[in-house]
Amino acid sequence: MSTAREGAIERTSSRDVTDWWSTAISDIEPGVIRFRGYPVEQLIGNIGFAEMIWLMVRGELPAAGQAALLEKALVAAVDHGPQAPSIAAARMAATCGVGMHGAMSTGVGLLGDVHGGAGQQCMQLLERIRDQVNETGLEAAVAQTIAEHRAAGKYIPGFGHRFHPRDPRRDPLLDAVHTHVEAGAIDGHYLEVAQEIERQLAAGRDRPVPMNIDGATAVIYAELGFAPELGRGLFILSRSVGILAHSWEEREGGRRIKGPMPPPLLPTYLGIAPRAVPTEVSVDLS
Amino acid sequence: MSTAREGAIERTSSRDVTDWWSTAISDIEPGVIRFRGYPVEQLIGNIGFAEMIWLMVRGELPAAGQAALLEKALVAAVDHGPQAPSIAAARMAATCGVGMHGAMSTGVGLLGDVHGGAGQQCMQLLERIRDQVNETGLEAAVAQTIAEHRAAGKYIPGFGHRFHPRDPRRDPLLDAVHTHVEAGAIDGHYLEVAQEIERQLAAGRDRPVPMNIDGATAVIYAELGFAPELGRGLFILSRSVGILAHSWEEREGGRRIKGPMPPPLLPTYLGIAPRAVPTEVSVDLS
Amino acid sequence: MSTAREGAIERTSSRDVTDWWSTAISDIEPGVIRFRGYPVEQLIGNIGFAEMIWLMVRGELPAAGQAALLEKALVAAVDHGPQAPSIAAARMAATCGVGMHGAMSTGVGLLGDVHGGAGQQCMQLLERIRDQVNETGLEAAVAQTIAEHRAAGKYIPGFGHRFHPRDPRRDPLLDAVHTHVEAGAIDGHYLEVAQEIERQLAAGRDRPVPMNIDGATAVIYAELGFAPELGRGLFILSRSVGILAHSWEEREGGRRIKGPMPPPLLPTYLGIAPRAVPTEVSVDLS
Amino acid sequence: MSTAREGAIERTSSRDVTDWWSTAISDIEPGVIRFRGYPVEQLIGNIGFAEMIWLMVRGELPAAGQAALLEKALVAAVDHGPQAPSIAAARMAATCGVGMHGAMSTGVGLLGDVHGGAGQQCMQLLERIRDQVNETGLEAAVAQTIAEHRAAGKYIPGFGHRFHPRDPRRDPLLDAVHTHVEAGAIDGHYLEVAQEIERQLAAGRDRPVPMNIDGATAVIYAELGFAPELGRGLFILSRSVGILAHSWEEREGGRRIKGPMPPPLLPTYLGIAPRAVPTEVSVDLS
């Protein structure tokens, strides 16, 4: 039993020089750039940005309708206002002289499990339930999941919104999913799971707990066959647009070292009262 | 004379609580999300991702053809292989358990002045020359700029490529610019400047120094009216696609703590020979 | 059931304006700076950097010997060579024009669960075993933990090293712990747990699996009463020194856009063979 | 004329495999770790953390008194309250589930030219003036620099503070410098320059413009022979302590997705009034 850690290089004998930095994504030779086998000069102009995103992460061009559905999800999630920590931190960074790369890197870096992970978590939930459907049926599989979350005091990721009684992005995204199901482009099984969750969450309650942006995009990404972790990646690409727009707005404003509080407010100190440093602060045993 | 620094909040009297986090980008109310005035539910499905990017950073929807030209630039710059530091660092990060946000933030953070700034610098150069054209004419303005760069031993940003004798992304991008100039969608003045630079750089040399991806996208972004710093931001959005694809490829590979060197290689120590720590390492005056 | 997510602000009624940015760490008034109640002018010169670190994160000055022991752990973990991803990425960043803050931020950002988390994980393991000792005795508690890890095919974090048969930092750190136990400054219970793990891992094997730097510093941080997550934070502070030194060495070297591979090597493309983009790339259903 | 950019690897012929990742900092062999030639087991316990920082970045152990002076500067700059963007962003990050590495990386990443660069800029200024002293004398050299800054409408970095009429960290730091000058450990020339700046800034004004933390630490780092860029690095190391302490305070508080505004406040939308998306949003020329 021995562990890889702290700077140790992965040195399995089966890997040698040539495959260490190998990739199946881009093939670069002098005068030649191919992505997933396609020459870049043929891609430029023939496919859109959403299709390029699909090609790069999936390895193949999207089939009919797939890019259009992906594009709707990417459009929907670009921003939700300057108070979100990812946007707020990027705006602050933009006032600190760290360049557009520094501002965008700051914002992207905050999209972790708590602030940017609900979509990925919802995809994992939908997958887990769907795997269970054959065994128990949809209704029971969903009921069990909801019961488990309630017992653990946990939210169902992708449903409900603290601010919006009904997230305005839900309907146009789900309508698009329905259209694509009817066209036979996707099978709609993840949509069924998500709608059954919505139905059961609403049952016996005063107000419904509709899917939010994370839930609606999770349905789309799952229907399109993306892995949950890639769902997070796509959300980050989408939100990067908002991060860029807000960073740029702050840059244009020209403020420097913008603090998080409006001027009349100051931090409140709630700690230990003033005291003097003791004469003998520490005894060194060594 | 007094300075703003080190945590001091910008506290100009003209700003108060209500405008501290103000924005002209997103308008969020319960049940309502508007970007630049447009309800999100109308944007989803009616505009593509490239158009959404334009709307968010520019404030208005793109006019005829503008989004198509922007989209070509975004498609062209997504990746240039795993050896680029931004991609290499993101791939390493992806093996270190820092999540997709950590990997992408790492890659984006390296796109500074040296590794990601040539496009922005080329836009600034094109703007400077264009401002000078009325006074001196195009040929003289370009000649002066080239002479200044040569005298300072500096490269012209956006021209020439260490690896590609002719960057394969140049022609399809410039062809698109020509098409849009002919259609009257853009005026083509930045294109003229860039082509004159190419012409003069090639004069009296064995081989030409054609525009590279940074130069060709700089022409597009400048023709479309983007500020140079936004040009950098758009490049970062585009390259984020490659960063995501490579991070994901590494995640799927499952390697942990991937070092930058293939196994047969080790770092070389070139420093001071082994020595013992002196008994008395320091005398404290205080 | 409703969820907090995606930019929603935490808005519990019990918090109001004045305590939103409250802190018990620093108390700043015009002409006054106090940390944990102590005026900064009394701290400067009266306490060392390690004691200041302790004061800031723990809230009180360290007692006799504690700072000396902390200092040894901080000294020991500063670096382990340029091939570690955190150092390698920081060195690359330093060649990309992103400033010392960008290089250091890049390196620190890679110290996640896999590359920088073994110390924290070892502390959590030591705590778990120690909680169990009263019930089952030390030997059985350790045996059970090892058996569980072996059954799950997992390493014991903090023990063994892929590169060093015996980590040269183990002995001086554990000797210091022993000295402090003998002086009565710490109780040594975490040390006992770690040594029992070492003993059982070595039993019936050709070669021992001694504690590594993560294990030895985990013992120190646990004995000193730091929470596991703070143990990670202290490791990051320590490794930041190596990140700074390596970033600076690269800056002084003056290289630009340093790739991760030596010149004779190139990335290997292992993907799909060259192909043409199909004429009709996607059919839009919408 | 050809340019290195966009992922191109630096491939000068004078560098080969063995020196690509070479370093003069750490020498790692199985069972052996040496920093700057010294075995790690001799460094642990024999030198303090400040001395280790010095050794790592300078290559030699500090001479008498040098470490003590460095330590004072490191202690002085750890924090200046939660409203500073670097601390505020780190606290927000800590509420977003990105780990201690993510929170610290976020904070460090904001210490760019504007928010963390005044010390480095002050060191550059002190060096520039000192180089000029032999030619023009101290008084004239300082007068010229101040005049140039005033003409350009720029602050003198390192002097004055928006919040503190007199920065409480100035006196204990400068007192320490004086002590070390008297002991002959440093020559005091940078101190003289900084004091002459202070004197001239105060002349003919109602209130003085005393050195702030950036100015006082710039004097120390310059007297100790650190390069200005390293001065920034040392400030980042110091401030990382505050970033860790604040990140940890926020983690202990357990808040999630903490926005930058207190609950009664909301972002103000100042943009274009609500409008409908036009039926035909763009005409594609391609």
Side-chain angles (χ1 to χ4, degrees), chain B residues 15 111 160 199 275:
Chain B
R15 291 207 182 84
L111 297 171
R199 198 188 61 76
R275 53 182 172 172

Side-chain angles (χ1 to χ4, degrees), chain B residues 42-90:
Chain B
Q42 289 185 28
L43 294 169
I44 297 171
N46 282 319
I47 68 169
F49 193 40
E51 286 157 322
M52 189 67 183
I53 293 169
W54 181 295
L55 174 64
M56 289 291 284
V57 298
R58 298 289 287 268
E60 294 295 337
L61 286 165
Q66 290 177 324
L69 195 51
L70 168 63
E71 196 144 21
K72 288 181 179 70
L74 292 172
V75 164
V78 291
D79 187 29
H80 196 258
Q83 83 291 350
S86 54
I87 300 289

Side-chain angles (χ1 to χ4, degrees), chain A residues 1-12 17-19 21-27 34-39 42-43 46-47 51 55 59-68 72 77 79-80 83-85 92 97-98 101 114-115 118 146 149-150 154-163 167 169 179-180 183 185 201 205 207 209 212-214 235 239 260-261 265-279 281-286, chain C residues 1-11 17-19 21-28 34-39 42-43 46-47 51 55 59-68 72 77 79-80 83-85 92 97-98 101 114-115 118 146 149-150 154-163 167 169 179-180 183 185 201 205 207 209 212-214 235 239 260-261 265-279 281-286:
Chain A
M1 193 175 303
S2 142
T3 91
R5 88 189 55 75
E6 200 257 327
I9 303 174
E10 187 78 21
R11 289 172 189 282
T12 57
V17 177
T18 54
D19 74 347
W21 286 100
S22 64
T23 180
I25 297 170
S26 43
D27 186 9
R34 289 189 206 93
F35 297 121
R36 304 294 192 179
Y38 296 117
Q42 289 185 28
L43 294 170
N46 282 319
I47 68 169
E51 287 157 322
L55 174 65
E60 296 295 337
L61 286 165
Q66 290 177 323
K72 288 181 179 70
D79 186 29
H80 196 260
Q83 83 291 349
M92 276 188 229
V98 298
H101 62 286
V114 171
H115 177 40
I146 292 177
H149 277 73
R150 284 190 171 140
K154 285 164 46 182
Y155 297 126
I156 304 278
F159 292 80
H161 203 287
R162 187 184 295 271
F163 192 74
D167 189 320
R169 297 162 293 190
T179 303
H180 287 262
L201 286 177
R205 293 170 59 97
R207 60 180 193 86
V209 187
N212 56 37
I213 179 70
D214 298 311
F235 168 68
R239 186 54 55 97
M261 285 170 301
L265 300 175
L266 277 176
T268 309
Y269 177 69
L270 297 175
I272 291 163
R275 52 182 173 173
V277 174
T279 321
V281 294
S282 98
V283 176
D284 193 335
L285 290 173
S286 63
Chain C
M1 194 175 303
S2 142
T3 91
R5 85 189 59 74
E6 200 254 330
I9 304 175
E10 187 78 21
R11 290 172 189 282
V17 177
T18 55
D19 75 347
W21 286 100
S22 65
T23 180
I25 297 171
S26 42
D27 185 11
I28 317 286
R34 289 190 206 94
F35 298 121
R36 303 294 193 178
Y38 296 117
Q42 289 186 27
L43 293 170
N46 283 318
I47 68 168
E51 286 157 321
L55 174 65
E60 295 295 336
L61 287 165
Q66 290 177 324
K72 288 180 179 72
D79 187 29
H80 197 259
Q83 82 291 350
M92 275 188 230
V98 297
H101 62 286
V114 172
H115 177 41
I146 293 178
H149 277 72
R150 283 190 171 139
K154 284 164 46 182
Y155 297 126
I156 304 280
F159 292 81
H161 202 287
R162 186 184 296 268
F163 192 74
D167 189 318
R169 297 162 292 190
T179 303
H180 287 262
L201 285 177
R205 294 171 57 99
R207 60 180 193 83
V209 187
N212 56 38
I213 179 70
D214 298 312
F235 168 69
R239 187 52 57 94
M261 285 170 301
L265 300 175
L266 277 176
T268 309
Y269 176 69
L270 296 174
I272 292 163
R275 52 182 173 173
V277 174
T279 321
V281 294
S282 100
V283 177
D284 194 334
L285 291 172
S286 62

Side-chain angles (χ1 to χ4, degrees), chain D residues 120-223:
Chain D
Q120 176 178 345
Q121 291 148 19
C122 184
M123 289 176 76
Q124 289 160 338
L125 190 87
L126 297 178
E127 284 194 355
R128 218 158 41 232
I129 294 175
R130 190 174 163 174
D131 287 348
Q132 215 185 314
V133 165
N134 283 342
E135 217 176 311
T136 66
L138 176 60
E139 196 175 323
V142 166
Q144 185 187 328
T145 294
I146 292 178
E148 285 167 5
H149 277 72
R150 283 192 172 138
K154 285 166 44 182
Y155 297 126
I156 305 279
F159 293 80
H161 202 286
R162 186 184 295 269
F163 192 74
H164 301 297
R166 186 177 188 88
D167 190 319
R169 296 162 293 190
R170 178 203 175 281
D171 292 355
L173 291 175
L174 291 198
D175 289 351
V177 175
H178 278 117
T179 302
H180 287 262
V181 171
E182 281 157 23
I186 51 180
D187 67 19
H189 291 167
Y190 291 108
L191 174 64
E192 285 165 24
V193 174
Q195 286 180 319
E196 177 63 19
I197 295 174
E198 247 185 3
R199 199 187 60 77
Q200 293 193 21
L201 285 178
R205 293 171 58 97
D206 295 343
R207 60 179 192 87
V209 187
M211 253 175 269
N212 56 38
I213 179 71
D214 298 312
T217 54
V219 168
I220 290 179
Y221 294 146
E223 291 286 350

